[in-house]
Amino acid sequence: MSAQLPAISVRHLSHRFGRFDVLRDVSFDVHQGEIFGFIGPNGAGKTTTIRVLSTLLEPMAGRVKVLGRDVTLEPELVRKDIGYMPDHAGVYDRVTVREYLEFFADAYKVPTAGSSYAVVDASMELTDLTRLSDKIVSTMSKGMKQRLQLARVLLHDPKVLILDEPASDLDPRARIEIRDLLMELRAMGKTVLLSSHILTELADVVTSVAIMERGRIVVSGPIGEIAEALERQRSGPTQRQALPTSADSPTVPTPKEAPNLNSFVPNTPEPPRVAQRSVKVRVLAPFDRVSAILTDLPFVTAVRPGAMATIQVTFSGDDRAVALMVRSLVTADLPVVSVEPERNELERIFLEATRGDLQ
Amino acid sequence: MKPQALQQPPPPSQRIPGRTELGWLQGLLANPNAIWIREVRQSARLDRTPWLLFAVTLLLSLLVASIGGTASSASVSPAKVGMAVSQVFFSLAYGVVTLVGPAVAANTIAAEREGRTWEALVLTGMTPAQIARGKFLSSFTTLSLYIAAIAPIGALSFAFGGTTATETIVGFILLFMLAGLWVAFGLAMSAAMSSLRGAIVLTLILAIIVGPVLYVIFGPAMSALAHEHWSQVPAGLPIWLPVAYTRANFGIDYLVLLVALPFVVLALPAWFLYEVTVANLSAKADDRSSGLKRWFIVSTLAGAGLAAAAPASLGGRGTPPSDPASFATHTALWCLGLFFGFCALLFIGEPAGPSRRLTTLWSKNNVGALGRALGPGLARTFMLVMLLETCAFGAATFGGVFAMGIFHKGSGVLGIMLSGATLWAHVIFFTGLSAWLRARTDSPLGARIIALAVMLALVVLPWAFAAVGGIATKQDEWLALGATNPFYVVVILGQLAAPAPNHFLLIAGYIGILFFGAAGLVLFTLAQLKARAINAASSLHYVQLDAALAAEDSATTTAP
Ligand SMILES: Nc1ncnc2c1ncn2[C@@H]1O[C@H](COP(=O)(O)OP(=O)(O)OP(=O)(O)O)[C@@H](O)[C@H]1O
Ligand SMILES: [Mg+2]
């Protein structure tokens, strides 16, 4: 545990719209310097949580702090520290990119040297908008507008960036650029919280995630830790209940339950039974030969031809089983090209942690 | 890898330390409002602006020229034609300002909300007041452009004579002031609404209804009164104030009636609209009350002072029932009644108590008891409203009694006192009812509608029963049902003036006063208790939350 102030701390946040509980006892921490992925299906409550973090929505219960400051008590100070990019922001008509950014620089009271806006230039540079500086904002494409929003959010040099679906309207190239930009911002010492339901756009940049479903945090913590814990629990009697959900805890928990709330702590004993997993294997050999060798192994339960000349192997066991498979293929003189988990880590976590139903 | 390992020191902050708030105008010149700059730039790029300006100018010049032409051909003296042209021009200009001002202003804030640019704007740290001023400046600039475009037509009246340059200049100054007021009105509407189309439509409908009413009241009707006072001021002119400035005799009445009164009539609504706009732009947990309450206190003091002074300064002519002093007193009482009814509905927007954000801020800034008393809170607000209501009605009644005492040896005093007491009781009842309804519901709008419905029912139903019963039985006693509403003063005054007053009806009036005054106080007390319970529950919630989080913290730190 780090003694450093968390960039964002959400504790027992609850909110309802009318009679509809949108957030139910949401708790998670984002540490400084992290790129935190906030994942959940449509209507899970991501945007609602993010609006609370950004001081735009007053929560009905719970406490939310950004860099140690309560968002309900000191919103003016929190606003200076955060850069919030809404999911579907609008732009002004008849304003150029440069004018748009200069307006926000003025509104943020960012100091300027005379009429030159160094900050505006820098943020256009960072988001690759310099070429477009004289373009009328409302005529830009969605992806360009999203970049413009990102440039705006960077103007006042916030320490914490809160981005709601930052890559939703971007083409693959722009997505890669955004990812690079996020890494760059992280290197500059910024903390980034971003929400998404497109998993692949996050997979290689986020360091921690919180998965939200129906207004509850299903699981949260650093990706590695969650994956490990899932690995251990996969074989538990019932998968879902082994996961640390906040679903079972009351709105204001008793101190006894408290330690489990913000970090991922597996709370089931070592499982007796081993779960089923799949890997994609590529071998430069006919399917029948590979299949014959693999089905001989006691832990392999199924071998099927997969997409793109791969073979899908289902087995029970952990990574040692994978190693055994590779060894028996290699000793049989079959050239193994690759072995990959069937899905990437984040997708796997997501699918295992959520029921996949919408609210 | 632990993310903390990658942590680098953040780059030096680019923020300047909090700039001390300069005076409004000084600050405006030193660094102009960003919204103003942006919106002026945006409207300069709007292709249709010059065409709209051109069309309005053309239309107006054609109208004015044709009126001038027909008048001059009908062998009227040129001076009269000049006067007519000037009246027509300024009336039309008022029309333009009434339509364009609110339409332009209603667009601004609702457009930000609907276009989803509002959140980004709020997060820049611009205060609601700064945003309101920026929006005001940009709308006012646009409207000024329209006035500037039509200004040359105003000069047409010089071609005929009949008006002086001073009159024209004063006319334009007044036009700009009215333009400011209409822009403020549009902004207040825009700030209260989230739908752009709704804001524009509602604002325009109201402007179209209210604009002409105000024109008639403050134009021809007022000029008749002004003519009675200063015969040099022609009667029936709609645009009489500029003429009055140059032609009326200078004196104390000039200062009071032509300088102070117009100032108050313009400034108090402008202030109100500004405060309403800022309140509607502020978050629920922020202080949305202090500004409105300050406006309320000043307006009440001004109104009560005027009401108290008017009878004595106008009275002394005629016999008691028709003396201007008595008329002025009753008018003042009714105006106060309407004003307080409006304010009771206005303050229905109050929350049960100050938010935790506000109480934290208060203790941080050492805000004293007075500052807190002005802050949000159902009980403190309605207490203030009831107190000021009582003072104002007391002052107005006293003013009337005093004037009747001097001029008429106290005749008519009982009527004035009963009128004052009846109106006071019903206003107190309405205020208490509003507070109580607010304490019972979450929705200010719902509470407002119910309060108005109750009032309407109390006015209409008893009179309807009284009319039916009276016709059926031919007995005056049915009128006593009317004691449920303030219009019963008509019955009371009628009975007092009658040679043989019906004591039953008078006693009904006394009972009405006692009952409704007491009911208002009881309802207020209930509202106060309810608000106290809500506030206590909310503080308890925070205490429990604090305790739970603290326990959680200590459990985390002691855990391995
Ligand atoms: N202002 C509101 N009034 C009423 N209900 C609302 C409001 N805002 C959100 N909701 C509801 O709250 C739920 C959560 O919404 P939210 O926007 O937080 O979801 P989300 O996780 O961001 O979804 P998405 O991935 O689609 O953006 C939804 O069911 C939505 O209908
Ligand atoms: Mg969303």
Side-chain angles (χ1 to χ4, degrees):
Chain A
M1 286 291 127
S2 124
Q4 203 181 13
L5 197 63
I8 296 173
S9 125
V10 177
R11 302 175 75 179
H12 308 300
L13 171 65
S14 298
H15 194 78
R16 57 171 54 173
F17 287 119
R19 294 230 182 99
F20 176 41
D21 280 308
V22 179
L23 299 178
R24 315 177 211 194
D25 199 23
V26 168
S27 298
F28 63 89
D29 275 358
V30 179
H31 296 285
Q32 290 190 36
E34 275 187 329
I35 299 183
F36 190 91
F38 197 38
I39 311 173
N42 288 128
K46 304 182 294 292
T47 300
T48 308
T49 312
I50 281 180
R51 286 173 54 81
V52 172
L53 296 181
S54 315
T55 73
L56 291 169
L57 180 70
E58 189 118 352
M60 289 186 171
R63 175 159 312 160
V64 177
K65 288 187 174 181
V66 174
L67 290 170
R69 294 205 174 99
D70 194 318
V71 293
T72 36
L73 295 187
E74 303 178 296
E76 307 83 21
L77 295 178
V78 171
R79 284 170 190 182
K80 290 184 177 167
D81 278 334
I82 59 166
Y84 164 65
M85 177 171 142
D87 48 354
H88 297 292
V91 288
Y92 297 112
D93 289 334
R94 302 184 297 281
V95 188
T96 66
V97 168
R98 171 172 286 282
E99 287 164 356
Y100 180 85
L101 293 174
E102 284 178 357
F103 163 66
F104 276 100
D106 283 341
Y108 273 117
K109 300 209 174 69
V110 178
T112 50
S115 60
S116 83
Y117 289 80
V119 200
V120 169
D121 290 327
S123 75
M124 286 200 296
E125 182 83 47
L126 204 59
T127 49
D128 215 4
L129 283 170
T130 317
R131 280 180 306 113
L132 300 177
S133 67
D134 290 328
K135 190 151 171 82
I136 295 287
V137 166
S138 47
T139 64
M140 298 203 298
S141 72
K142 270 190 192 171
M144 286 298 149
K145 278 187 196 157
Q146 211 139 13
R147 273 189 213 203
L148 180 69
Q149 294 299 317
L150 205 55
R152 165 176 72 71
V153 158
L154 295 173
L155 284 172
H156 61 302
D157 190 26
K159 297 194 189 73
V160 180
L161 296 176
I162 300 173
L163 314 176
D164 200 353
E165 314 252 355
S168 59
D169 288 325
L170 300 185
D171 60 33
R173 169 180 293 277
R175 257 180 221 182
I176 293 170
E177 282 170 7
I178 282 264
R179 256 184 273 179
D180 292 346
L181 181 56
L182 289 178
M183 302 291 264
E184 208 172 315
L185 291 171
R186 185 189 181 202
M188 286 163 68
K190 301 199 185 301
T191 310
V192 182
L193 178 143
L194 50 92
S195 84
S196 180
H197 44 244
I198 303 169
L199 298 162
T200 42
E201 81 184 21
L202 293 174
D204 30 343
V205 283
V206 299
T207 51
S208 299
V209 290
I211 294 178
M212 177 172 247
E213 194 185 31
R214 293 163 163 260
R216 291 196 171 97
I217 294 290
V218 178
V219 56
S220 77
I223 289 201
E225 282 177 30
I226 298 179
E228 248 171 62
L230 275 175
E231 188 77 18
R232 263 172 291 164
Q233 284 171 25
R234 183 166 295 118
S235 41
T238 47
Q239 287 189 12
R240 275 193 57 85
Q241 274 163 23
L243 286 172
T245 72
S246 44
D248 314 317
S249 53
T251 316
V252 176
T254 56
K256 268 184 290 154
E257 299 170 294
N260 278 348
L261 280 159
N262 289 332
S263 58
F264 187 86
V265 182
N267 46 12
T268 43
E270 201 59 27
R273 199 171 57 86
V274 196
Q276 299 277 305
R277 273 176 77 186
S278 291
V279 286
K280 284 187 286 187
V281 186
R282 244 186 96 196
V283 185
L284 296 179
F287 172 74
D288 297 339
R289 285 197 60 197
V290 180
S291 170
I293 292 169
L294 288 181
T295 34
D296 276 351
L297 296 170
F299 45 83
V300 172
T301 48
V303 181
R304 261 166 273 142
M308 306 187 69
T310 58
I311 295 165
Q312 192 193 4
V313 186
T314 311
F315 63 98
S316 46
D318 53 14
D319 287 348
R320 276 168 301 181
V322 180
L324 281 174
M325 278 189 252
V326 174
R327 201 176 63 190
S328 34
L329 289 171
V330 171
T331 36
D333 238 1
L334 300 182
V336 178
V337 181
S338 65
V339 181
E340 287 172 40
E342 204 185 15
R343 299 179 188 286
N344 75 38
E345 198 80 309
L346 199 56
E347 257 177 320
R348 200 160 56 80
I349 291 175
F350 182 76
L351 288 178
E352 291 190 20
T354 64
R355 289 195 201 97
D357 39 14
L358 302 181
Q359 48 177 304
Chain B
M1 204 195 309
K2 280 267 171 238
Q4 281 78 18
L6 282 179
Q7 176 87 37
Q8 284 177 1
S13 176
Q14 294 164 320
R15 235 167 286 122
I16 33 169
R19 183 178 63 94
T20 49
E21 205 62 51
L22 302 164
W24 185 60
L25 195 64
Q26 221 179 336
L28 191 72
L29 297 175
N31 48 2
N33 193 300
I35 296 180
W36 183 31
I37 302 284
R38 192 204 73 221
E39 295 202 342
V40 166
R41 193 177 268 160
Q42 277 176 280
S43 51
R45 290 218 179 98
L46 191 64
D47 290 337
R48 65 169 185 266
T49 313
W51 291 108
L52 269 175
L53 285 176
F54 180 69
V56 168
T57 314
L58 193 70
L59 214 71
L60 222 60
S61 49
L62 281 178
L63 262 171
V64 171
S66 65
I67 288 166
T70 45
S72 56
S73 65
S75 67
V76 188
S77 76
K80 275 201 172 149
V81 177
M83 179 61 105
V85 166
S86 142
Q87 291 288 323
V88 168
F89 167 74
F90 278 110
S91 298
L92 290 175
Y94 171 80
V96 169
V97 161
T98 306
L99 286 181
V100 177
V104 167
N107 208 346
T108 55
I109 296 169
E112 299 254 9
R113 288 218 177 103
E114 200 171 272
R116 303 215 50 189
T117 49
W118 174 250
E119 294 173 349
L121 191 60
V122 168
L123 288 181
T124 60
M126 273 190 120
T127 62
Q130 286 169 332
I131 295 176
R133 283 178 218 149
K135 293 289 182 187
F136 176 83
L137 284 174
S138 58
S139 305
F140 190 69
T141 309
T142 309
L143 192 54
S144 301
L145 220 61
Y146 279 87
I147 298 179
I150 58 175
I153 312 167
L156 215 69
S157 50
F158 286 124
F160 301 97
T163 50
T164 64
T166 326
E167 283 169 18
T168 311
I169 292 170
V170 170
F172 271 107
I173 293 175
L174 285 173
L175 193 61
F176 274 105
M177 286 175 151
L178 286 175
L181 208 55
W182 279 115
V183 165
F185 170 71
L187 273 187
M189 296 293 294
S190 191
M193 301 189 61
S194 54
S195 139
L196 177 56
R197 204 169 297 162
I200 292 181
V201 169
L202 194 61
T203 308
L204 273 181
I205 289 176
L206 283 176
I208 288 170
I209 295 172
V210 176
V213 171
L214 293 182
Y215 177 79
V216 171
I217 292 178
F218 289 101
M222 276 287 178
S223 87
L225 292 182
H227 178 68
E228 243 176 67
H229 198 86
W230 294 288
S231 52
Q232 312 90 301
V233 179
L237 278 191
I239 316 295
W240 59 274
L241 198 54
V243 182
Y245 278 127
T246 50
R247 300 191 190 172
N249 298 329
F250 193 79
I252 185 91
D253 50 350
Y254 185 104
L255 282 179
V256 171
L257 296 176
L258 294 183
V259 180
L261 196 62
F263 175 77
V264 168
V265 165
L266 282 172
L268 285 181
W271 184 10
F272 169 73
L273 293 170
Y274 172 73
E275 295 293 355
V276 167
T277 308
V278 171
N280 276 322
L281 294 184
S282 305
K284 281 209 180 68
D286 282 333
D287 182 0
R288 308 165 81 158
S289 305
S290 299
L292 279 173
K293 270 195 237 169
R294 255 180 245 124
W295 167 84
F296 172 67
I297 292 172
V298 170
S299 304
T300 306
L301 291 182
L306 213 64
S313 49
L314 294 176
R317 285 171 276 164
T319 44
S322 66
D323 187 315
S326 158
F327 176 74
T329 311
H330 285 108
T331 312
L333 287 174
W334 278 97
C335 287
L336 285 177
L338 282 176
F339 171 72
F340 287 124
F342 172 76
C343 289
L345 290 176
L346 172 73
F347 287 116
I348 276 186
E350 283 290 307
S355 66
R356 206 162 72 107
R357 178 189 302 173
L358 215 51
T359 47
T360 314
L361 193 72
W362 282 346
S363 17
K364 204 174 90 187
N365 296 347
N366 289 323
V367 173
L370 196 67
R372 286 171 193 240
L374 280 177
L378 197 65
R380 64 188 92 193
T381 302
F382 278 89
M383 177 87 90
L384 176 79
V385 174
M386 288 188 157
L387 221 92
L388 284 181
E389 281 167 357
T390 308
C391 292
F393 278 113
T397 310
F398 175 77
V401 168
F402 179 73
M404 297 317 265
I406 315 178
F407 300 129
H408 302 292
K409 302 197 185 84
S411 82
V413 161
L414 186 61
I416 287 176
M417 283 169 70
L418 282 179
S419 287
T422 308
L423 279 162
W424 170 83
H426 286 283
V427 160
I428 288 288
F429 170 72
F430 188 65
T431 310
L433 177 74
S434 301
W436 183 75
L437 286 170
R438 177 63 181 115
R440 309 299 308 183
T441 71
D442 261 350
S443 135
L445 184 65
R448 283 181 184 131
I449 290 173
I450 298 175
L452 275 177
V454 169
M455 208 57 204
L456 198 69
L458 283 180
V459 170
V460 174
L461 293 182
W463 288 129
F465 280 121
V468 172
I471 289 167
T473 60
K474 295 199 170 19
Q475 279 178 338
D476 279 350
E477 277 72 14
W478 282 97
L479 285 177
L481 285 174
T484 55
N485 65 65
F487 293 101
Y488 198 67
V489 289
V490 179
V491 175
I492 293 180
L493 290 178
Q495 290 307 314
L496 288 181
N502 184 330
H503 287 287
F504 179 75
L505 291 180
L506 284 179
I507 287 167
Y510 299 144
I511 293 174
I513 293 170
L514 288 177
F515 176 78
F516 282 97
L521 293 175
V522 167
L523 284 172
F524 168 70
T525 311
L526 292 178
Q528 201 175 12
L529 291 176
K530 176 76 182 166
R532 205 174 285 164
I534 295 174
N535 291 335
S538 138
S539 350
L540 183 67
H541 169 81
Y542 286 116
V543 168
Q544 281 174 345
L545 180 72
D546 283 341
L549 292 181
E552 200 179 291
D553 283 341
S554 62
T556 319
T557 46
T558 53

